[in-house]
Amino acid sequence: MSGEKKTWMRQPIIVVLGHVDHGKTTLLDKIRGTAVARKEPGEITQHVGASVVPASVLKKLAEPLRKYFPKLVIEIPGLLFIDTPGHELFSNLRKRGGSVADMAILVVDIIEGFQPQTVEAINILKEKKVPFVVAANKIDRIEGWKPHADTPFLESIRDQSPRTLSLLEEKIYGLVGKLYEHGFEAERFDRVRDFRRTVAIVPISAKTGEGIPELLALIAGLSQQFMKKRLVTSEEPAKGVVLEVKEEPGLGTTIDVIIYDGVLRRNDVFVVAGRNGPIVTRVRSLLMPRPLQDMRMHEGRFINVDLVTAATGVKVAAPGLEDALAGSPFYVVPSDDKVEEYKRITQEEVSQIRFRAESDGVVLKADTLGTLEALIEAMRRENIPVKLADVGHVTRNDVIEASVVKKSKPEYGVILSFNVKVLPEAEELIAKEGIPVFKHNVIYQLLEEYFKWYREFKEQEKTRIMESLVRPGKIRVIPGAVFRRSEPAIVGVEVLGGRIKPNYPLMTSDGRSIGTVMQIRDRDNVLKEAIVGQQVAISIKGKVMVGRHIDEGDILYTDIPRDHVRLWLTTFNSELSDDEKLVLKEIISIKRKSDPLYGMVFTA
Ligand code: GDP
């Protein structure tokens, strides 16, 4: 023994994301099918929760591409694809400051183009700093496309009509434009000069298999070129992430783990996060899917193995995993004296995701650490504070938290629940306190529902505040239209600018206050307001006598309070009409004579 630890380059871990129905599942099926059909005898392609495309298959697929990419040599042992596509599972591949996924394929239906979940995927990938390629899927649906099963894209296009090719180009440029809007330079893969700066778009058909060789070769090429360091692993204690927690007949609660670093052995002691704190336990068995050809009725779906090496997807059976949380880090403890240290590391990591803050904010409940973290991050993007974030069903206590928030910040006094139940004990209180609860098992739809409600709430609140403000108004007392001299004075007025409403305070053109508008009438009709150009009769509340305080022909203005004028000049400025803005200017210059700071807006 030299004492040197064995090191090797592991398979990059790849995820598939994209909008619903854009072809993620079909693509993964195609990739799996390709791997099985072309693998060497004895090569294992099936892991738990993942599938491998071995190097031998990548080499075969890359062979016909040699004339286009002569330098392509496969050095990695293969590609590990996470079997379940989509954002929910991706979010469980969480790792502090990033993702366990090394690279992503963003599937976009070339006919439909960008959709909401495409944008969501891009945001998540950006945030997690996961590089990606775009698979522009369903090219076989482009008008006039002649399919060539399982052929490289660059071969297939040689047999397409000029019209079909120009339709394809148009679609690809549509995607290039969309990606640009989201901050990415993009180009069809064979035209990319610098893959570090440009996102490659590979036109494919998950149905016919066209473009799949290029897609796989490209991912292999990019990962071995740009993430060599990240892919080197050694005989260290394993590190991984819990993808799913599953009940298995005869095995109890098991965890499906993606190991991205090191070696995991039977009997290893490991730590994962549990509902009630870190769980320390020992591997009882490591299980891999039984190869299809050895499936026998009386045997289980899994085979026992002594050890697994990164990168791999493996099922771990161990005592005490009932409370384990999906999305949790998985650490093998290197030695007995390190147990406390690893518990602390795990706990620290989880406390970033499960927390209760003192400030007002929304309540988030989700089924796994990963989806909970995805919700927290989405809230951060929108600058919405979080009061409480936790894994588990919605309880009475959650409702109490939300109802306290509701009292001071009603826009945050809500509960967002992802893929968990609202317990009956909570239901009653929800109804009583009138707490809005948003539920959905698609993350972006859950967020959309809340954000829509939030925007509407803010809009209503804005309207409510605006309704309470005194608007600019300028009127003239019509000569010969004094109907009553005092208590209350009733005069005919013409609105020269802006508007008046009942309860608006009035002032003269030299800033003297003269009561408030009591009622506005147009003959027998009582009006809610009178706007520029209207002639109406108004009664004035307060000690106002025509002939003493005001006269026929006088110009009067609405007497806008200081804090109202500030809002008109800032938040609500765009809500004023042009004539209201002119009147506001006049009011400000009148008021400044006695109050020099009136209508001053100070910015920090
Ligand atoms: P997912 O929701 O993203 O996983 O999408 P699916 O893989 O379930 O695909 C949605 C639909 O699109 C299915 O009916 C597929 O058969 C179809 N589909 C997927 N890929 C292709 C493709 O390349 N060409 C065509 N014509 N149809 C496709």
Side-chain angles (χ1 to χ4, degrees), residues 351-598:
S351 64
Q352 309 281 316
I353 309 170
R354 300 175 74 190
F355 62 83
R356 182 181 179 282
E358 285 312 316
S359 52
D360 286 334
V362 298
V363 172
L364 304 175
K365 296 300 292 268
D367 59 340
T368 70
L369 283 177
T371 51
L372 184 62
E373 188 179 45
L375 294 182
I376 296 169
E377 281 163 357
M379 292 299 145
R380 283 208 185 116
R381 275 201 293 278
E382 302 289 330
N383 282 323
I384 291 177
V386 177
K387 168 90 193 174
L388 180 80
D390 205 357
V391 175
H393 298 310
V394 177
T395 63
R396 210 180 130 79
N397 186 52
D398 299 328
V399 186
I400 294 170
E401 295 280 2
S403 62
V404 171
V405 174
K406 187 177 177 226
K407 291 201 175 79
S408 51
K409 290 266 180 205
E411 66 270 42
Y412 303 142
V414 304
I415 299 171
L416 276 79
S417 95
F418 178 79
N419 231 356
V420 290
K421 277 191 276 200
V422 176
L423 297 178
E425 53 163 48
E427 290 284 7
E428 201 181 315
L429 198 56
I430 286 169
K432 182 162 162 263
E433 298 285 336
I435 301 292
V437 179
F438 300 89
K439 292 182 243 181
H440 218 292
N441 52 10
V442 175
I443 291 183
Y444 99 94
Q445 275 170 357
L446 174 64
L447 296 169
E448 261 318 290
E449 277 175 22
Y450 170 62
F451 293 145
K452 181 164 171 274
W453 179 91
Y454 178 84
R455 283 190 297 270
E456 279 168 8
F457 181 91
K458 283 292 188 188
E459 202 51 46
Q460 278 168 11
E461 188 180 61
K462 194 172 155 185
T463 310
R464 217 169 43 241
I465 293 172
M466 207 170 68
E467 293 288 310
S468 72
L469 300 181
V470 175
R471 301 186 78 107
K474 179 181 182 182
I475 56 178
R476 188 172 68 107
V477 182
I478 301 169
V482 177
F483 307 117
R484 190 177 158 140
R485 293 209 163 267
S486 67
E487 290 182 64
I490 301 177
V491 291
V493 298
E494 179 185 3
V495 184
L496 301 177
R499 70 192 65 208
I500 53 168
K501 292 185 187 185
N503 292 323
Y504 274 18
L506 296 172
M507 65 176 183
T508 58
S509 52
D510 52 7
R512 265 181 306 116
S513 166
I514 39 129
T516 58
V517 178
M518 201 154 93
Q519 202 179 55
I520 305 173
R521 273 175 178 271
D522 180 11
R523 291 181 195 90
D524 290 336
N525 299 322
V526 176
L527 305 182
K528 286 211 182 81
E529 65 172 7
I531 61 165
V532 61
Q534 274 185 297
Q535 294 196 347
V536 293
I538 62 167
S539 49
I540 305 172
K541 194 161 50 180
K543 292 217 172 317
V544 184
M545 187 180 282
V546 183
R548 182 186 292 181
H549 303 105
I550 56 170
D551 260 317
E552 299 178 26
D554 272 4
I555 305 278
L556 305 177
Y557 290 90
T558 53
D559 190 355
I560 305 178
R562 215 180 183 197
D563 48 340
H564 292 202
V565 82
R566 196 170 37 80
L567 287 170
W568 285 128
L569 290 170
T570 54
T571 318
F572 298 119
N573 196 253
S574 60
E575 308 288 338
L576 294 176
S577 64
D578 288 344
D579 69 296
E580 282 179 312
K581 282 182 186 159
L582 287 175
V583 174
L584 184 62
K585 263 193 186 155
E586 293 178 29
I587 293 172
I588 291 172
S589 70
I590 294 169
K591 297 288 282 185
R592 286 239 172 113
K593 288 181 189 136
S594 60
D595 178 0
L597 295 183
Y598 183 89

